[in-house]
């Protein structure tokens, strides 16, 4: 990754955080992993690959985030931003985690990851199952992806689900 610190408006160094559900088109974007398997889980790369180096190899008509998972800088104008926090990981944490022990995946992003910094291992356990696409046939996934959804709305939906 290109940098581990950012300069704040007051001139002070602050840690640069990366979003593990990033925008492939941002200039600093890297490939975090590849979607694989029946459950479309992310298999993380050992080392980051610049997104610009692979985007041209994806066949026309296939959304890049359908097959790859990208990371890019956490930006202040993100729709999921709530103050300095990421609202997306907070909504994701509301959804019950898969049962049984789950190993934390190896991930080169972790030292700089916004989700890790904010939610710790709980974010890492959920990260491989996430997608940056909004599956329109999965109402819960649509609710989680929507920045306007509150934690209470998610808890109500989960409680009412069959």
């Amino acid at each position: 990754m290109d940098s581990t610190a950012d300069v704040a408006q007051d001139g002070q160094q602050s840690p640069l955080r990366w979003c593990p559900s990033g925008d492939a088109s941002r200039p600093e974007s890297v490939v975090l992993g590849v979607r694989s398997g029946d459950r479309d889980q992310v298999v993380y790369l050992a080392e980051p690959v610049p997104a610009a180096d692979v985007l041209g190899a994806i066949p026309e008509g296939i959304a890049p985030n359908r097959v790859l998972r990208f990371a890019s800088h956490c930006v202040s104008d993100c729709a999921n931003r709530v103050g300095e926090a990421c609202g997306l990981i907070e909504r994701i944490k509301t959804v019950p985690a898969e049962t049984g022990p789950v190993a934390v995946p190896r991930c080169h992003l972790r030292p700089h990851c916004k989700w890790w910094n904010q939610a710790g291992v709980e974010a890492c356990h959920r990260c491989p199952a996430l997608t940056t696409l909004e599956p329109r046939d999965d109402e819960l996934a649509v609710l989680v992806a929507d920045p306007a959804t509150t934690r209470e709305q998610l808890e109500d939906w989960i409680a009412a689900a069959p």
Side-chain angles (χ1 to χ4, degrees):
M1 296 193 215
D2 60 355
S3 164
T4 59
D6 198 7
V7 178
Q9 287 183 337
D10 63 4
Q12 298 295 314
Q13 290 273 325
S14 63
L16 178 62
R17 298 292 176 212
W18 285 71
C19 173
S21 185
D23 181 351
S25 67
R26 293 190 50 86
E28 77 283 355
S29 182
V30 295
V31 176
L32 179 61
V34 178
R35 298 199 167 285
S36 178
D38 294 336
R39 294 175 40 223
D40 210 21
Q41 297 279 308
V42 173
V43 176
Y44 295 92
L45 301 179
E47 294 295 326
V49 175
D53 291 356
V54 298
L55 287 174
I58 297 173
E60 189 174 329
I62 296 177
N65 52 359
R66 173 63 67 197
V67 293
L68 300 171
R69 178 82 168 276
F70 297 94
S72 61
H73 292 166
C74 176
V75 294
S76 61
D77 63 349
C78 176
N80 289 301
R81 192 77 173 245
V82 180
E84 291 298 313
C86 177
L88 178 57
I89 191 57
E90 292 305 316
R91 292 190 305 277
I92 291 165
K93 286 177 11 184
T94 302
V95 178
E98 291 188 23
T99 58
V102 178
V104 175
R106 294 184 68 189
C107 175
H108 64 268
L109 184 67
R110 190 169 293 126
H112 309 289
C113 178
K114 176 69 174 180
W115 293 1
W116 167 258
N117 181 263
Q118 184 174 324
V121 72
E122 193 172 357
C124 294
H125 283 298
R126 289 172 164 87
C127 192
L130 300 177
T131 178
T132 52
L133 296 177
E134 295 177 27
R136 297 291 174 200
D137 58 342
D138 182 342
E139 188 177 349
L140 180 58
V142 172
L143 285 171
V144 168
D146 183 353
T149 302
T150 66
R151 184 178 187 103
E152 292 76 24
Q153 288 171 315
L154 285 170
E155 289 168 349
D156 290 347
W157 190 95
I158 292 165

